Amino acid sequence: MAFSLLSSIPLALFTFMLIVGLSKAQQIGTATRHYKFHIRRANVTRLCHTKSIVTVNGQYPGPKIVAREGDRVIVEVFNHVKDNVTLHWHGVRQLRSGWADGPAYVTQCPIQTGRSYAYNFTIAGQRGTLWWHAHISWLRATLYGPIIILPKLGVPYPFAKPYKEVPMVFGEWWNADTEAVINQALNTGGGPNVSDAYTINGLPGPLYNCSSKDTFKLKVKPGKTYLLRIINAALNDELFFSIANHTLTTVDVDAVYVKPFDSDTILISPGQTTNVLLRTKPVGPSATYLMAARPYATGQGTFDNSTTAGLLEYQNDHNKSIKKLPLFKPTLPSINDTSFATKFTNKLRSLATEKFPANVPQSIDEHLYFTVGLGSNPCPKNQTCQGPNGTKFAASVNNVSFTMPTTALLQAHYFGQSNGVYRPDFPVNPLHYFNYTGTPPNNTLVGKGTKLMALRFNTSVELVMQDTSILGAESHPLHLHGYNFFVVGQGFGNYDPSKDQAHFNLVDPVERNTVGVPPGGWVAIRFRADNPGVWFMHCHLEVHTSWGLKMAWLVLDGELPNQKLPPPPADLPKC
Ligand SMILES: *[C@@H]1O[C@H](CO)[C@@H](O)[C@H](O)[C@H]1NC(C)=O
Ligand SMILES: *[C@@H]1O[C@H](CO)[C@@H](O)[C@H](O)[C@H]1NC(C)=O
Ligand SMILES: *[C@@H]1O[C@H](CO)[C@@H](O)[C@H](O)[C@H]1NC(C)=O
Ligand SMILES: *[C@@H]1O[C@H](CO)[C@@H](O)[C@H](O)[C@H]1NC(C)=O
Ligand SMILES: *[C@@H]1O[C@H](CO)[C@@H](O)[C@H](O)[C@H]1NC(C)=O
Ligand SMILES: *[C@@H]1O[C@H](CO)[C@@H](O)[C@H](O)[C@H]1NC(C)=O
Ligand SMILES: *[C@@H]1O[C@H](CO)[C@@H](O)[C@H](O)[C@H]1NC(C)=O
Ligand SMILES: *[C@@H]1O[C@H](CO)[C@@H](O)[C@H](O)[C@H]1NC(C)=O
Ligand SMILES: *[C@@H]1O[C@H](CO)[C@@H](O)[C@H](O)[C@H]1NC(C)=O
Ligand SMILES: *[C@@H]1O[C@H](CO)[C@@H](O)[C@H](O)[C@H]1NC(C)=O
Ligand SMILES: *[C@@H]1O[C@H](CO)[C@@H](O)[C@H](O)[C@H]1NC(C)=O
Ligand SMILES: *[C@@H]1O[C@H](CO)[C@@H](O)[C@H](O)[C@H]1NC(C)=O
Ligand SMILES: [Cu+2]
């Protein structure tokens, strides 16, 4: 495949990663895919700024994992850096393999310097694109890469076989050290510094100073269909993405097929993946097309409002000098275009066919209602704080700002040592009613604790997540570990069960693992708690997670042997 990737990654290695889909051994039926990830530092230069970053195997972005549905994946992770590290396989269901899920102090203690851990899991009932990333502090700023899940051998896609498949990972580049950025923000209580650029496959592109050589180029042939496997790995920003003069057909989100639909622009939140088909023009035009991504942002805080761009180039024999060709630019929605965001997310529908059914829970055991949003913590007496009104920024779910424990929750649960670590008393409703999306209350202080929502095995759950406007209405992409869920409804204002429930889609709602709670609105999801373990749920805007917009579910074992969490692997890290 034709890629021109000018980056500091050893070019041969990177080209190998992208071009070689599967080795001979990997083409046979259900297999075990074995990877070795060495966490080490590398010097990388972007925007004329050289920086030491934490990487996997010296690569930025990290290597891709390729597996077929049904395969076992074993990733041995060796930590050669000073930082504690864990990796998360974002969106992988981890059926009865919670020990391999990865969020630090939730399912495991971190892999400390000089130690290793083998993540061991299977991929079941999923096909499309997922991704892996660090799940401790802000290390995922540079530790991330694609997970490509192919259908079982001999099983076709529910769309025409694409000519080529191309992973496209959006990220954020910071000239500063991201660990220093979040530590400073947590100390001062103010909003963190923002990134210097967005990137496509690690490359900021020509719209930034000192960056045109670091441009992602997609070289295509006319009259072909390309499958773009798009991942938003940015830390703090939802993104709009568009390619000039080309239509994108969305066919799969979060490794679940959807009913195909066309749009010029897609919206993708951190944590989400979107597979789109790109049909190139029948006759190679004499033009070059810009592709661009920039934020969809609704909060009041400062954010990186810059634009990353790459190039779509047609390979024409007659195009002797590509530089002389006209360049067309895409038109992206305005940064706060919630109307576009709503229209786009409303188009997402499960296939809901015999082969790919939408098993939406039709009767519900637990109706839950969680508020999500920002608030504040008091400023320590001897300090001046830079958060709202001289306080510190905080964030919460049902007014509980989650306190990270110092030992892993899953071990505490499994070994019956929860006392003093967590309490299974997460509130099922907000404790106090107020107009969640109206005039903010005077008291913006949040409560805190390490509270879990306990569920019996196989409980069918309906959860409504309600944004609050306490410190400004804002969209929050909520990610649930260990499960997919169905997005059965969404709306603006305060959720009203007597009115809104009647409009739920229980037939073909989209199934995914990360969903945006609309700014000043709500989203309703359903899932069946059929995977025992402790499962993190959090906003995938990393700054909100740092402020406490996170909680965990405790799904108990079922009666049958295959409904129980197996014991931990011998090499599980200790705290
Ligand atoms: C990165 O650059 C610094 C300063 O030039 C150097 O000391 C260090 O060894 C380099 N690190 C790596 C991993 O190459
Ligand atoms: C991975 O897990 C499977 C199933 O529990 C087990 O049979 C296998 O030995 C494990 N492999 C490694 C390398 O830990
Ligand atoms: C954040 O930005 C401020 C203002 O530019 C700067 O003084 C500070 O050093 C930055 N913090 C970090 C951790 O880079
Ligand atoms: C690029 O540099 C010029 C001159 O220093 C400056 O005026 C401009 O704002 C910079 N542009 C970006 C996108 O940083
Ligand atoms: C691309 O789209 C622009 C308008 O957005 C139009 O003016 C132009 O003719 C188109 N060019 C090609 C080659 O499709
Ligand atoms: C981006 O934000 C900066 C600072 O808030 C502002 O000056 C600038 O006009 C914004 N740029 C765009 C393209 O919105
Ligand atoms: C979006 O931003 C524009 C420009 O800053 C502003 O005029 C408009 O009121 C904003 N719209 C919404 C819905 O906030
Ligand atoms: C404030 O006091 C606490 C304990 O009383 C201390 O740990 C902290 O360092 C002090 N901070 C400042 C900025 O003086
Ligand atoms: C900030 O404090 C002032 C005075 O105490 C109060 O009037 C105002 O409502 C507060 N604003 C917020 C956003 O809490
Ligand atoms: C909540 O506040 C909004 C905005 O002020 C208002 O439109 C709405 O009617 C209020 N809802 C209730 C139930 O009071
Ligand atoms: C909040 O503060 C305002 C202005 O100080 C006051 O009028 C109002 O009664 C307060 N509301 C509550 C619920 O305390
Ligand atoms: C790494 O994790 C261990 C276990 O939780 C902890 O004791 C240690 O302080 C951590 N080290 C760093 C540098 O954060
Ligand atoms: Cu959030």
Side-chain angles (χ1 to χ4, degrees):
M1 172 159 341
F3 273 97
S4 159
L5 286 154
L6 300 160
S7 71
S8 67
I9 304 157
L11 193 59
L13 186 59
F14 199 47
T15 313
F16 173 84
M17 285 156 48
L18 287 169
I19 292 172
V20 180
L22 291 170
S23 74
K24 279 260 161 56
Q26 284 174 318
Q27 287 169 20
I28 318 155
T30 299
T32 298
R33 318 271 176 175
H34 212 126
Y35 291 86
K36 286 195 197 315
F37 277 18
H38 290 275
I39 311 289
R40 53 173 171 248
R41 287 196 167 261
N43 289 329
V44 171
T45 304
R46 293 290 184 277
L47 315 178
C48 283
H49 192 97
T50 302
K51 188 184 155 194
S52 162
I53 62 170
V54 182
T55 70
V56 165
N57 301 343
Q59 294 170 227
Y60 169 73
K64 72 174 172 178
I65 285 176
V66 182
R68 280 193 191 283
E69 184 188 339
D71 285 352
R72 177 171 295 281
V73 175
I74 295 173
V75 187
E76 283 180 83
V77 179
F78 303 87
N79 185 359
H80 307 286
V81 299
K82 289 206 180 84
D83 312 70
N84 284 333
V85 173
T86 72
L87 296 184
H88 168 54
W89 320 94
H90 183 114
V92 173
R93 284 283 328 262
Q94 299 290 5
L95 290 165
R96 298 176 59 233
S97 58
W99 304 111
D101 191 42
Y105 303 109
V106 177
T107 63
Q108 68 166 98
C109 296
I111 308 168
Q112 298 186 39
T113 312
R115 303 287 174 87
S116 71
Y117 178 48
Y119 290 90
N120 182 351
F121 54 89
T122 55
I123 300 210
Q126 303 184 281
R127 62 299 276 182
T129 307
L130 294 173
W131 60 300
W132 58 267
H133 63 78
H135 215 304
I136 184 164
S137 193
W138 277 24
L139 287 186
R140 78 174 179 83
T142 56
L143 282 175
Y144 62 83
I147 302 178
I148 310 295
I149 308 172
L150 302 169
K152 286 186 171 154
L153 205 63
V155 176
Y157 292 124
F159 42 84
K161 189 179 184 326
Y163 172 66
K164 285 278 157 63
E165 303 191 1
V166 186
M168 283 180 51
V169 195
F170 301 144
E172 275 178 275
W173 171 262
W174 307 65
N175 288 335
D177 171 26
T178 41
E179 289 303 286
V181 168
I182 183 56
N183 289 338
Q184 181 183 48
L186 294 178
N187 284 333
T188 65
N193 289 3
V194 302
S195 56
D196 296 283
Y198 294 99
T199 56
I200 304 176
N201 290 344
L203 304 167
L207 304 184
Y208 298 98
N209 281 339
C210 197
S211 179
S212 58
K213 72 172 176 39
D214 293 325
T215 299
F216 170 74
K217 290 179 185 167
L218 179 58
K219 296 198 175 174
V220 296
K221 291 185 174 160
K224 305 277 188 202
T225 300
Y226 292 77
L227 177 66
L228 310 182
R229 296 173 173 271
I230 303 173
I231 298 165
N232 187 347
L235 280 184
N236 292 322
D237 302 85
E238 305 188 70
L239 294 167
F240 291 124
F241 171 71
S242 184
I243 305 179
N245 298 75
H246 288 76
T247 298
L248 305 172
T249 306
T250 300
V251 292
D252 186 312
V253 297
D254 296 4
V256 185
Y257 296 130
V258 296
K259 291 191 175 82
F261 68 91
D262 290 349
S263 62
D264 294 338
T265 299
I266 65 159
L267 169 66
I268 184 165
S269 299
Q272 296 183 332
T273 61
T274 307
N275 281 4
V276 303
L277 297 176
L278 168 72
R279 278 180 208 87
T280 56
K281 297 183 182 300
V283 179
S286 293
T288 300
Y289 301 90
L290 208 67
M291 58 178 80
R294 75 155 186 211
Y296 162 55
T298 49
Q300 292 176 334
T302 313
F303 61 96
D304 176 355
N305 62 6
S306 67
T307 305
T308 181
L311 293 173
L312 179 72
E313 290 180 352
Y314 279 79
Q315 292 176 305
N316 292 334
D317 293 341
H318 60 273
N319 284 353
K320 295 260 155 51
S321 170
I322 223 151
K323 286 200 180 64
K324 293 205 185 93
L325 298 177
L327 177 67
F328 291 100
K329 294 177 184 165
T331 311
L332 287 163
S334 69
I335 277 177
N336 58 4
D337 197 341
T338 294
S339 154
F340 179 93
T342 308
K343 276 188 214 129
F344 182 82
T345 52
N346 278 337
K347 284 184 199 159
L348 294 164
R349 291 275 191 273
S350 281
L351 274 187
T353 58
E354 204 169 307
K355 256 191 206 150
F356 303 103
N359 294 317
V360 189
Q362 299 289 320
S363 66
I364 296 299
D365 304 319
E366 290 276 3
H367 286 271
L368 306 172
Y369 186 54
F370 294 176
T371 55
V372 299
L374 304 189
S376 56
N377 275 330
C379 191
K381 287 249 150 47
N382 57 355
Q383 214 188 325
T384 52
C385 293
Q386 286 162 22
N389 249 1
T391 63
K392 286 189 157 195
F393 267 116
S396 65
V397 183
N398 268 354
N399 204 39
V400 183
S401 191
F402 193 81
T403 309
M404 289 312 277
T406 52
T407 186
L409 298 171
L410 188 58
Q411 278 98 322
H413 158 64
Y414 187 83
F415 294 109
Q417 295 164 349
S418 61
N419 214 346
V421 178
Y422 68 80
R423 294 165 66 96
D425 60 352
F426 193 87
V428 299
N429 284 305
L431 297 178
H432 302 288
Y433 172 82
F434 62 98
N435 186 344
Y436 307 113
T437 54
T439 311
N442 293 354
N443 182 353
T444 63
L445 297 181
V446 298
K448 50 178 115 172
T450 309
K451 293 172 182 291
L452 271 53
M453 173 63 70
L455 295 173
R456 270 171 294 106
F457 184 82
N458 233 12
T459 303
S460 67
V461 178
E462 181 181 285
L463 167 63
V464 176
M465 291 184 282
Q466 171 74 58
D467 182 39
T468 66
S469 56
I470 296 174
L471 289 175
E474 186 166 4
S475 167
H476 299 279
L478 264 288
H479 171 50
L480 174 60
H481 288 227
Y483 289 92
N484 282 343
F485 48 74
F486 293 95
V487 184
V488 297
Q490 67 171 47
F492 290 94
N494 299 334
Y495 171 67
D496 178 352
S498 68
K499 278 209 322 259
D500 296 324
Q501 218 147 29
H503 303 291
F504 283 180
N505 174 5
L506 304 179
V507 178
D508 64 351
V510 68
E511 179 183 348
R512 59 188 329 167
N513 63 59
T514 305
V515 69
V517 178
W522 54 270
V523 66
I525 64 171
R526 288 186 175 194
F527 64 97
R528 182 171 294 282
D530 58 1
N531 191 13
V534 174
W535 303 106
F536 210 18
M537 188 174 83
H538 58 92
C539 182
H540 223 281
L541 304 182
E542 211 54 44
V543 54
H544 294 174
T545 307
S546 301
W547 287 340
L549 212 169
K550 52 196 171 188
M551 55 82 66
W553 304 78
L554 167 58
V555 179
L556 302 172
D557 281 350
E559 298 290 321
L560 304 173
N562 66 356
Q563 297 173 341
K564 296 183 195 300
L565 179 71
D571 60 343
L572 185 73
K574 296 192 171 52
C575 282

